[in-house]
Amino acid sequence: MTDLPEYRREEPGAQPPALHPAYASTVKRAPQQPPIRLPHTLSELTGPQWDRSVLRPSDDDLTRQNKGAPLGERIIVTGRVIDEDGRPVPATLIEIWQANACGRYIHPRDQHDAPLDPNFRGEGRVMTDDEGRYRFVTIKPGAYPWRNHANAWRPAHIHLSLFGPAFVTRLVTQMYFPGDPLIPLDPILNGVPDPAARMRLVAAFDLETTKPEWALGYRFDIVLRGRAQTPPLG
């Protein structure tokens, strides 16, 4: 036990259901028994602690991590990380990973019939500033087939992992792109029960972030916990 105050528990329905039959793999992995409520411990309330020494110079620009430029549409993604009361969350580590412009990951299990890009690793890290702001440059990922059902394709998306100020505030989620016709068909996104919460996973085109003659900009703000939280999505 600890004398430190616990973080507010999530609202019912904040997490996508463990069992969502349209998302086929949840049928195999969903728990068969109700979850057990555990108290927060000292390690969950106080760690981890990060500083900028964990970052490499090109971690925030996935287009400069190799000898040449990757293929595809260059984009800028920016936003703020805030808590449930609207306060900025500074110095939080954000890890991202994604498919390349052809919709393929650098992973031995990804055998999708699409080319790998030798100049794109598909992973990066950034850390929020004092106002909770972050920014990274990358390539817009492509859609890819995933065999969940007949003719199943995942919309273009970027995975994000945020640690926040403590392990209990960690969030793993996905960012989608506006206007993607595959979004209404995606069982993973549609596993989030609340339509308004699903829309919080779709970035907004941002002309202010857009760099003339260089890259389109998107804004994706992230809320850790609370009624307006960004939904978790594995």
Side-chain angles (χ1 to χ4, degrees), residues 118-214:
N119 292 310
F120 190 73
R121 297 204 309 262
E123 55 87 16
R125 295 184 294 180
V126 296
M127 189 168 285
T128 57
D129 65 13
D130 291 343
E131 296 300 318
R133 294 182 296 247
Y134 73 91
R135 179 184 184 274
F136 61 86
V137 177
T138 186
I139 296 297
K140 188 174 182 180
Y144 58 84
W146 65 304
R147 299 179 181 176
N148 179 78
H149 54 275
N151 203 12
W153 289 77
R154 295 260 16 240
H157 62 279
I158 296 175
H159 299 265
L160 301 97
S161 166
L162 297 87
F163 279 95
F167 273 118
V168 293
T169 63
R170 192 187 178 205
L171 172 69
V172 177
T173 191
Q174 298 180 25
M175 184 197 92
Y176 294 80
F177 292 87
D180 191 327
L182 292 172
I183 285 178
L185 307 176
D186 185 41
I188 295 180
L189 178 59
N190 285 293
V192 178
D194 181 5
R198 291 199 293 269
M199 291 308 300
R200 292 199 290 271
L201 294 173
V202 181
F205 169 70
D206 188 23
L207 188 61
E208 185 175 341
T209 300
T210 297
K211 189 172 180 179
E213 300 183 34
W214 195 73

Side-chain angles (χ1 to χ4, degrees), residues 29-195:
R29 69 188 186 205
Q32 300 298 308
Q33 301 295 328
I36 299 172
R37 185 185 179 101
L38 298 175
H40 294 157
T41 64
L42 182 65
S43 61
E44 293 167 329
L45 296 171
T46 60
Q49 299 294 320
W50 308 103
D51 60 41
R52 297 187 182 277
S53 66
V54 303
L55 301 177
R56 297 165 295 193
S58 62
D59 273 350
D60 63 347
D61 188 343
L62 283 66
T63 68
R64 295 192 300 110
Q65 295 176 344
N66 293 280
K67 293 181 179 179
L71 299 176
E73 179 189 349
R74 186 189 299 111
I75 61 172
I76 304 166
V77 178
T78 187
R80 293 184 73 214
V81 180
I82 58 176
D83 68 13
E84 56 194 332
D85 297 315
R87 297 170 298 198
V89 182
T92 192
L93 183 68
I94 304 176
E95 298 176 310
I96 62 171
W97 64 99
Q98 64 169 94
N100 66 18
C102 296
R104 187 168 176 187
Y105 292 92
I106 299 181
H107 192 284
R109 294 189 63 181
D110 188 348
Q111 297 301 310
H112 168 36
D113 185 17
L116 291 171
D117 187 339
N119 292 310
F120 190 73
R121 297 204 309 262
E123 55 87 16
R125 295 184 294 180
V126 296
M127 189 168 285
T128 57
D129 65 13
D130 291 343
E131 296 300 318
R133 294 182 296 247
Y134 73 91
R135 179 184 184 274
F136 61 86
V137 177
T138 186
I139 296 297
K140 188 174 182 180
Y144 58 84
W146 65 304
R147 299 179 181 176
N148 179 78
H149 54 275
N151 203 12
W153 289 77
R154 295 260 16 240
H157 62 279
I158 296 175
H159 299 265
L160 301 97
S161 166
L162 297 87
F163 279 95
F167 273 118
V168 293
T169 63
R170 192 187 178 205
L171 172 69
V172 177
T173 191
Q174 298 180 25
M175 184 197 92
Y176 294 80
F177 292 87
D180 191 327
L182 292 172
I183 285 178
L185 307 176
D186 185 41
I188 295 180
L189 178 59
N190 285 293
V192 178
D194 181 5

